[in-house]
């Protein structure tokens, strides 16, 4: 069953999502033009499930149980989780550039995701495990990547750090990152 487009219900959905979208915006770091680091939370993962079903004309209530389970399973990889010795967190890295410079920028940034370290309050670093998904043409860096970090128990994130020649810097952790694991 597909839902018919209804402007009033679309407006209500949009308005109902504003608080969530504001929480997501507070977590986001814009590192450079076209480069965004978006921490994932249990709430953002569930939102992706809901939005995927909505795009297919279904809701959590109307979708067959197997479709809901499949959608949840596909996004589960992004969810925060406890692991031995710490908390495993994911951020999605978005690389969006105009068509005329996309290939050159993605080529120049080939090793960039691997160098996005989380600096912890004690001065140590959490290194990312990078899920590159499907590579583009000629093994081009994809435009969307998942970076998973293991934050040891008792440690707090101080900043995101890159020493890559194309995009180097230190971005202090936004105050909202205290809620990142949720």
């Amino acid at each position: 069953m597909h839902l018919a487009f209804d402007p009033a219900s679309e407006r209500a959905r949009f308005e109902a999502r504003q608080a969530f979208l504001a929480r997501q915006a507070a977590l986001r770091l814009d590192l450079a033009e076209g480069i965004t680091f978006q921490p994932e939370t249990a709430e953002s993962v569930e939102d992706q499930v809901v939005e995927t079903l909505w795009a297919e004309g279904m809701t959590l209530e109307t979708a067959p149980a197997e479709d809901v389970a499949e959608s949840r399973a596909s996004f589960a990889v992004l969810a925060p989780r406890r692991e031995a010795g710490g908390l495993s967190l994911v951020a999605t890295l978005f690389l969006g550039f105009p068509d005329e410079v996309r290939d050159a920028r993605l080529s120049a940034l080939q090793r960039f995701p691997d160098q996005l370290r989380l600096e912890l309050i004690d001065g140590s670093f959490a290194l990312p495990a990078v899920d590159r998904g499907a590579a583009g043409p000629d093994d081009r860096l994809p435009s969307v990547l998942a970076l998973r970090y293991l934050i040891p128990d008792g440690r707090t994130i101080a900043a995101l750090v890159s020493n890559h020649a194309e995009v180097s810097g230190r971005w202090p952790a936004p105050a909202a990152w205290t809620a990142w694991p949720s």
Side-chain angles (χ1 to χ4, degrees):
M1 176 185 132
H2 289 279
L3 303 173
F5 179 78
D6 173 48
S9 63
E10 284 296 312
R11 178 104 178 124
R13 282 186 78 245
F14 172 77
E15 289 172 358
R17 296 185 77 228
Q18 291 308 295
F20 162 73
L21 295 173
R23 287 189 296 278
Q24 288 304 106
L27 292 169
R28 181 175 47 249
L29 285 175
D30 292 318
L31 308 182
E33 188 161 341
I35 303 175
T36 302
F37 184 88
Q38 179 67 60
E40 299 290 352
T41 63
E43 183 183 27
S44 71
V45 170
E46 183 65 9
D47 181 72
Q48 290 175 66
V49 169
V50 169
E51 290 301 302
T52 297
L53 292 171
W54 186 259
E56 295 174 3
M58 298 178 278
T59 66
L60 287 173
E61 297 76 26
T62 64
E66 59 272 8
D67 288 359
V68 173
E70 179 183 343
S71 186
R72 283 200 168 118
S74 71
F75 288 108
V77 68
L78 300 176
R81 62 181 182 230
R82 296 280 320 142
E83 291 187 7
L87 185 61
S88 183
L89 301 175
V90 170
T92 300
L93 182 64
F94 296 98
L95 304 170
F97 306 108
D99 289 345
E100 61 274 7
V101 298
R102 180 178 299 122
D103 288 342
R105 292 290 290 142
L106 291 175
S107 178
L109 293 169
Q110 190 66 32
R111 303 302 330 153
F112 173 66
D114 305 288
Q115 295 178 13
L116 278 173
R117 303 169 296 160
L118 290 177
E119 179 184 333
L120 306 178
I121 203 79
D122 66 359
S124 64
F125 290 92
L127 304 177
V130 180
D131 179 354
R132 294 176 177 270
D138 301 319
D139 291 327
R140 183 184 81 192
L141 182 66
S143 296
V144 179
L145 299 98
L147 287 66
R148 183 168 288 280
Y149 298 90
L150 181 63
I151 309 303
D153 288 331
R155 306 266 177 83
T156 304
I157 301 168
L160 178 68
V161 177
S162 169
N163 62 2
H164 190 277
E166 294 289 319
V167 183
S168 64
R170 182 181 186 278
W171 299 268
W177 280 16
T178 59
W180 183 354
S182 62

